[in-house]
């Protein structure tokens, strides 16, 4: 199958592309830089130049492929409105290009804010609709295309997709610990984050393309929830720093923008996904990655 992948050289995308190629798929990746293009070509993938704002390139990539996997996101925390608008426009463009074709359209989403007081499940619908919502309400927008002949599948990733080379949430917490001299956790540290290793997330993308029915929501979750105090303790061990509670009123000042997320309970299950795809995560746990030095360099 010829698969067009946005975010193909990104953290999850590069793992997914490697897995897709290993399974014999032909891959064309969207690349916005020479470095990204070179990395894709070195793996054996084709390159389409463009970025998330280049809707013409995205449309052409979708039209010329047998399937689309949309993993790109600006993640611009200084201008979330622009990030959300770009995400929605890209999803609308891909969906429009695939109407009536029955082709697979897999897109990245997340497990945040799906439920309250319990782990989120695949049955929980996103409550985000419209352009002003997080990610521009892209999951619900994409799923609307199922009724228009598009084989949409939502890929909901855990808040931390961890591993050596990660530059996401955990890497940010490690950097904050280095800067402040302490590894902090919010309040009593009892709130939890779901987690998955990058290799397992990449494998789930390939399996989702092969096996998931239209309209499916998949959860890329290996650990239902790791307490934030446990995360902070592992960071403290890795950096040989003291571990301390950060009072609720001091969370924003200590952690900055990530404090809001680190104080949330972001738990999710993946029982339905595992059974549907025969997906069994085999990568290291988050704490194992921290304890074995995946985040210690730098």
């Amino acid at each position: 199958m010829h698969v067009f992948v946005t975010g193909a050289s990104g953290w999850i995308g590069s793992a997914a592309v490697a897995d897709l190629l290993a399974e014999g798929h032909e891959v064309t990746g969207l690349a916005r830089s020479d470095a990204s293009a070179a990395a894709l070509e070195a793996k054996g993938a084709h390159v389409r130049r463009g970025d998330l704002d280049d809707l013409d390139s995205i449309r052409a990539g979708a039209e010329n492929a047998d399937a689309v996997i949309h993993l790109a996101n600006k993640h611009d925390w200084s201008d979330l409105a622009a990030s959300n608008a770009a995400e929605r426009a890209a999803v609308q463009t891909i969906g429009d290009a695939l109407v009536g074709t029955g082709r697979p359209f897999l897109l990245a989403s997340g497990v945040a804010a799906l439920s309250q007081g319990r782990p989120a499940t695949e049955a929980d619908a996103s409550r985000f609709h419209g352009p002003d919502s997080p990610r521009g309400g892209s999951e619900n927008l994409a799923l609307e295309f199922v009724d228009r002949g598009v084989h949409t599948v939502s890929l909901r990733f855990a808040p931390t997709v961890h591993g050596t080379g990660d530059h996401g949430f955990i890497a940010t917490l490690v950097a904050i610990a280095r800067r402040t001299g302490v590894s902090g956790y919010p309040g009593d540290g009892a709130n939890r984050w779901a987690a998955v290793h990058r290799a397992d997330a990449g494998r789930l993308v390939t399996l989702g393309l092969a096996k998931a029915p239209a309209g499916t929501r998949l959860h890329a979750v290996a650990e239902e929830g790791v307490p934030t105090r446990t995360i902070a303790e592992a960071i403290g061990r890795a950096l040989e720093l003291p571990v301390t509670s950060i009072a609720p009123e001091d969370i924003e000042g200590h952690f900055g923008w990530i404090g809001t997320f680190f104080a949330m309970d972001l738990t999710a299950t993946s029982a339905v996904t595992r059974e549907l795809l025969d997906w069994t995560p085999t990568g290291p746990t988050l704490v194992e990655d921290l304890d074995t030095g995946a985040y210690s360099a730098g």
Side-chain angles (χ1 to χ4, degrees):
M1 187 179 294
H2 179 202
V3 187
F4 175 55
V5 182
T6 73
S9 60
W11 177 239
I12 299 173
S14 56
V17 166
D19 205 86
L20 288 164
L21 291 169
E23 289 296 314
H25 295 291
E26 179 184 1
V27 175
T28 295
L30 187 70
R32 64 180 178 178
S33 69
D34 291 342
S36 294
L40 287 169
E41 289 174 339
K43 288 182 176 180
H46 307 296
V47 173
R48 171 170 288 280
R49 295 304 293 260
D51 59 24
L52 203 57
D53 293 318
D54 189 346
L55 299 182
D56 288 338
S57 186
I58 289 173
R59 182 181 299 105
E63 290 174 344
N64 293 314
D66 301 315
V68 178
I69 300 176
H70 174 51
L71 302 174
N73 191 288
K74 286 189 172 183
H75 296 300
D76 184 354
W77 301 105
S78 65
D79 192 351
L80 286 176
S83 286
N84 295 338
E87 170 69 1
R88 188 174 182 87
V91 168
Q92 183 74 54
T93 297
I94 295 168
D96 287 342
L98 299 182
V99 165
T101 66
R103 296 176 191 165
F105 172 25
L106 282 65
L107 80 157
S109 187
V111 300
L114 293 174
S115 63
Q116 293 184 346
R118 61 170 176 79
T121 74
E122 294 90 341
D124 291 313
S126 171
R127 60 185 178 86
F128 300 129
H129 297 266
D132 296 328
S133 300
R135 288 182 176 266
S138 60
E139 178 180 280
N140 282 316
L141 174 62
L143 289 171
E144 289 174 4
F145 280 97
V146 172
D147 291 335
R148 301 175 64 190
V150 180
H151 192 106
T152 304
V153 175
S154 175
L155 305 166
R156 291 174 169 175
F157 294 100
T160 173
V161 181
H162 55 87
T164 302
D166 175 22
H167 55 271
F169 282 177
I170 298 300
T172 299
L173 293 171
V174 169
I176 291 169
R178 282 199 178 96
R179 175 174 54 79
T180 61
V182 298
S183 182
Y185 57 86
D188 63 4
N191 64 298
R192 301 182 299 154
W193 271 16
V196 65
H197 190 268
R198 174 175 173 255
D200 290 322
R203 181 61 182 157
L204 179 136
V205 174
T206 302
L207 291 173
L209 175 64
K211 297 183 178 183
T216 300
R217 306 179 189 100
L218 301 175
H219 279 194
V221 172
E223 297 180 87
E224 180 178 302
V226 185
T228 53
R229 179 168 182 166
T230 299
I231 296 172
E233 289 170 345
I235 293 173
R237 287 194 302 272
L239 303 183
E240 297 183 346
L241 291 175
V243 180
T244 186
S245 169
I246 306 300
E249 62 270 21
D250 297 327
I251 287 174
E252 182 177 353
H254 181 84
F255 292 107
W257 64 267
I258 201 173
T260 299
F261 298 99
F262 202 36
M264 295 173 67
D265 199 57
L266 302 177
T267 61
T269 65
S270 58
V272 172
T273 297
R274 294 181 192 224
E275 182 176 359
L276 176 65
L277 303 184
D278 192 23
W279 177 66
T280 302
T282 59
T285 67
L286 173 56
V287 168
E288 286 171 346
D289 259 351
L290 285 162
D291 283 344
T292 54
Y295 292 86
S296 298

